[in-house]
Amino acid sequence: MADTSVQVHRPAEAAPRRASMAEAVRRYGVLVALVLLILFNAAFTPNFLSWQTVNVNLTQVCAIVIVGVGMTLVIAAGGIDLSVGSLMAISGTLAPLIFMGKLFPVSPGLGLALAFTVPIVAAALLGLFNGWLVTRFRIQPIVATLVLFIAGRGIAQVMTNGNLQVFKEPTFQFIGLGRVLGVPVQVILMAIIVAVAGYALTRTVFGRQLLAVGGNPRAARLSGIASKSISRWVYAISGALAGLAGLIVVARNGAADANLVGLGMELDAIAAVAVGGTLLTGGRASVIGTLLGALVIQLVRYTLLANGVPDAAALVVKAGLIILAVWIQQRAKGSS
Amino acid sequence: MALVAMHGIRKAFNAVPALVDASLEIEPGEVMALVGQNGAGKSTMIKILTGAYRRDEGTLTFDGRPVDFPNPGAAQDAGISTIYQEINLVPHRSVAENVFLGREPTRLGFIDWRRMNREAEAALARFNVSVDVQAPLSTFNAATRQMVAIARAVSRKARLVVMDESTSSLDEREVATLFDTIRTLKRDGVSVLFVSHRLDELYAVCDRVTIMRDGATIGVHPMSAITKMDLVTAMLGRALAAAEHRLHDAPPHKAGAPIVEAAGLARGRRLRDVDLAVHSGEVVALAGLLGSGRTETARVLFGADRPEAGSLKLDGRDVAFGEPSEAIEAGFGFLSEDRKIEGIIPDMSVAENLTLALMPRLAKAGVIDRAAQREVVNRFIRRLGIKLASPDQKIRELSGGNQQKVLLARWLAMNPRLLIVDEPTRGIDVGAKADVLTMIRELAGAGLGVVMVSSELEEIISLADRVTVLSDGRSVRDLHAGEIDETSIMAAMASDVPTTGAPHG
């Protein structure tokens, strides 16, 4: 369980029934929406209940969930990270450059090892840079991460001279195309990341201190919590996860395009976090919620497409979902 | 005839009375001081006068006519201008624009810049302020900005200017300039209502003083006819019968070795020169009026703010805490003044709030040992008698008194050597108050050093082994057992010159 508020909710003595309803909707709304979507599709969408459909949807949602987990942690600590899409582009274009030996000459084996590690480390360091801007200069997170949102994609384009890199490298592409026991590797990675982050957020000192910093930074500092160091770590983790998502996306496509990798990802991730019930002002977060939120958004899109509604209309529905999620949060906030 | 006459004013918020029988009269051209402790009702009174609140009962006449301002705009139109602590001007626009904000002179529908600049210069010249009125306001110091606010008020033909803690952000020279301005206003027949916690300022510039306590006006005196001592006594009240039985009269005890010794602590304008020593087993109270530097001293001790000057010794060795975490490492705990802003993490459970500081010690390889956490939580819930439905309940659902006990437990769980408590009984009910005070007493009995900041003399007299009295950012007296009584504390609070020795100095 990654829900941070697993405790039984006890409304204040005179709390109106409506408020606890709102709280229940906030907590279980995403789950209910997901179940309803699955039931709807099972009834009306042809071939929905097939292994193929499950895999398609899970594969589509992987990158968003992996980035969304990082985003959940950043938002829980009271920040936000707009740079994730650009960091995906850097990591996604860096990997082929390394294993194709365009950056420096390497043996194929070493090149592959470096292609997995160097981009993720680079993205983590850039995330650390975000954290440094936020904590050292007290720049608002939305502005601090805007720096790499803009510059990051530029860096990726400069590295590749703006060219599309096409490659066929089965070992590297295993991360995006491979399967273990029929389950896509990226789905396994996603599940591990969700489980680890959920556990860390609920059970570890780091996770609880992170939520304390997001919930009341001044009280956290006076309780001896090293809030700056926690913030820096959180941005580094968000960067590393964006780096991993970048690798998965280019491996899946067999091509790296600095202009397109991770484009708009920051907004998809924030949408998943919001729909998942994490408080956007910090202090309350649910990693499982983010997973469910991403699945709901994906499934709504799939449902509309499978039933002949154009993608453009699906975008409008996605926006509606976000408004609904935020509205539910506002209502629940007034309770207890 | 009085310019302002307020009589029998009552005002309650959610059935909690803020004003019960308040009155205020200001003559034309008079500078009236309004004083009282926190919660005495000063700001409610001002807000009723300036139209921000409506009164429940009572009469308000302005310039001889009964009035009832529905909003601040109406009061301004009638001639009452308020200059707030945080001045409500537009920093990035020019001085002239700020003076004429909302009523710029126009010509053919366009702003008449030349006329506006000329008139703004003239308005400021009255107060001997000559600045480039076309420069943005943000380029000037706090005093000049206040002057601009006053010029703005006067150019709107104000009959009464209300200054609420106007001097708190000014340095001495700036205060002097402001006083000149007040005298100019007075000469022109404009009345001033002046609120300040600095007693010296009242004597420097005010004609009379209105004293409030517990929502009522308890006295009006000419400034020249009341001594500082009487003023402080009137503000704090004499209902100190409860202080008779001192909690620690029963078991006499001795203080141990010094834990901390601070000398010459200074930071900004609020904290100028504070000496303080705390021994183990001793409760040292920091007494003083609001703004005397009590909280600032506590924060500097705990590493929450860095001192600009002074030294801090821990067990005789020099230390400098850069962050609260370092002070906590050294065995300090700090119960902050404002529970909501600096104490609780509202969305977290009671259990987690209680173990917030302890958490790293409850973990194995970074993972919290829940059984150990639960054991600590249950122990302290029992020990402090915290009333709750479950330790997993969110702390914001608890009453103020129980929240305070949880926060006290947060530090007790750390087994500290020195506990700093800032207004430990503020906003909690009588039962919880007694529990908290008894707990502090017991802790000191067990060898803990305690620094207690408190506005309540009763609390200080009943609990403290020693009292360090602060005035205007300086430690002015150190009172030892036997000299701790109402009179000597008040005398020290009202004093300016640091004195030591004789209890009645």
Side-chain angles (χ1 to χ4, degrees), chain B residues 3 5 16 22 29 41 61 70 79 92 110 126 148 154 174 206 224 276 278 297 325 429 434:
Chain B
L3 178 70
V16 180
T61 63
H92 298 297
F110 293 94
R126 280 179 63 192
V148 170
V154 173
E174 292 170 334
C206 297
S224 53
L276 180 72
V278 189
T297 305
S325 54
D429 61 275

Side-chain angles (χ1 to χ4, degrees), chain B residues 140-204:
Chain B
F140 296 102
N141 63 20
T144 307
R145 293 203 293 269
Q146 293 239 320
M147 266 6 120
V148 170
I150 294 167
R152 172 177 163 74
V154 173
S155 73
R156 301 191 58 165
K157 312 269 181 272
R159 310 274 310 275
L160 170 69
V161 177
V162 179
M163 298 188 184
D164 190 357
E165 287 290 336
S166 292
T167 55
S168 59
S169 56
L170 305 185
D171 68 30
E172 273 146 27
R173 202 163 36 88
E174 292 170 334
V175 169
T177 318
L178 183 73
F179 285 176
D180 285 342
T181 310
I182 293 176
R183 291 184 192 107
T184 308
L185 288 172
K186 184 174 159 60
R187 193 189 62 213
D188 294 348
V190 177
S191 305
V192 176
L193 181 62
F194 188 80
V195 180
S196 172
H197 284 107
R198 298 163 184 277
L199 299 183
D200 290 339
E201 293 177 359
L202 307 183
Y203 284 95

Side-chain angles (χ1 to χ4, degrees), chain A residues 4-13 23 26-27 199 202-209 211-213 215-226 228 279 282-284 332-333 335-336, chain B residues 299 302-305 322-325 328 334 336 339-349 352 356-360 362-363 365-370 389-390 392-394 396-397 410-411:
Chain A
T4 65
S5 35
V6 283
Q7 312 92 351
V8 182
H9 176 67
R10 276 162 230 273
E13 294 130 60
E23 177 70 20
R26 185 190 71 78
R27 186 154 302 162
Y199 181 80
T202 46
R203 294 296 176 88
T204 65
V205 173
F206 177 75
R208 303 320 285 174
Q209 291 193 337
L211 282 165
V213 170
N216 187 345
R218 288 170 71 175
R221 174 169 177 255
L222 289 179
S223 296
I225 294 174
K228 287 185 178 180
L279 204 61
R284 193 164 67 198
K333 213 176 167 184
S335 75
S336 71
Chain B
R299 291 181 61 88
F302 191 61
D305 293 322
E323 276 293 314
S325 54
I328 293 169
F334 178 46
S336 56
R339 269 194 304 284
K340 279 219 174 66
I341 295 176
E342 302 207 303
I344 63 169
I345 313 281
D347 268 329
M348 285 186 136
S349 70
E352 291 203 292
L356 192 66
L358 189 69
M359 221 181 281
L362 286 174
V367 178
I368 298 161
D369 180 343
R370 291 201 160 187
S390 149
D392 295 328
Q393 201 177 2
K394 285 187 178 151
R396 61 184 168 150
E397 296 171 0
R410 181 188 284 173
W411 295 115

Side-chain angles (χ1 to χ4, degrees), chain A residues 15-292:
Chain A
R17 203 196 166 110
R18 219 184 41 174
S20 49
M21 269 290 290
E23 177 70 20
V25 170
R26 185 190 71 78
R27 186 154 302 162
Y28 303 111
V30 205
L31 198 58
V32 172
L34 190 63
V35 171
L36 287 178
L37 277 167
I38 291 171
L39 290 178
F40 176 87
N41 280 295
F44 298 106
T45 308
N47 303 322
F48 179 73
L49 291 177
S50 68
W51 193 232
Q52 172 71 11
T53 312
V54 172
N55 270 348
V56 164
N57 276 301
L58 283 178
T59 315
Q60 292 278 335
V61 90
C62 266
I64 297 177
V65 171
I66 290 171
V67 174
V69 166
M71 189 68 78
T72 306
L73 300 182
V74 172
I75 289 177
I80 199 152
D81 188 352
L82 294 186
S83 72
V84 285
S86 298
L87 296 188
M88 281 177 72
I90 291 182
S91 139
T93 49
L94 197 54
L97 284 179
I98 293 171
F99 68 69
M100 296 197 296
K102 286 189 186 169
L103 219 53
F104 42 83
V106 282
S107 68
L110 183 63
L112 277 171
L114 290 178
F116 282 119
T117 50
V118 172
I120 293 178
V121 170
L125 287 175
L126 291 171
L128 200 61
F129 172 76
N130 283 331
W132 179 69
L133 287 183
V134 171
T135 54
R136 176 71 180 77
F137 302 105
R138 293 188 189 173
I139 302 175
Q140 288 166 327
I142 200 166
V143 178
T145 57
L146 195 60
V147 171
L148 275 177
F149 169 82
I150 296 166
R153 196 163 293 281
I155 293 170
Q157 285 162 344
V158 169
M159 285 192 308
T160 57
N161 292 323
N163 296 330
L164 176 73
Q165 304 179 82
V166 185
F167 54 84
K168 203 165 173 63
E169 176 55 70
T171 318
F172 174 72
Q173 286 178 272
F174 184 72
I175 192 176
L177 299 174
R179 280 165 192 254
V180 175
L181 304 173
V183 182
V185 171
Q186 46 181 324
V187 174
I188 296 171
L189 281 174
M190 172 183 87
I192 292 172
I193 287 166
V194 167
V196 168
Y199 181 80
L201 199 57
T202 46
R203 294 296 176 88
T204 65
V205 173
F206 177 75
R208 303 320 285 174
Q209 291 193 337
L210 179 164
L211 282 165
V213 170
N216 187 345
R218 288 170 71 175
R221 174 169 177 255
L222 289 179
S223 296
I225 294 174
S227 46
K228 287 185 178 180
S229 146
I230 285 180
S231 288
R232 283 195 290 268
W233 269 105
V234 161
Y235 281 100
I237 291 169
S238 174
L241 290 176
L244 176 64
L247 296 187
I248 290 174
V249 168
V250 297
R252 199 164 60 204
N253 296 338
D257 184 347
N259 301 309
L260 288 180
V261 175
L263 195 64
M265 179 56 86
E266 57 288 329
L267 302 182
D268 283 336
I270 294 170
V273 171
V275 171
T278 291
L279 204 61
L280 289 183
T281 46
R284 193 164 67 198
S286 165
V287 173
I288 293 285
T290 298
L291 170 67
L292 297 179

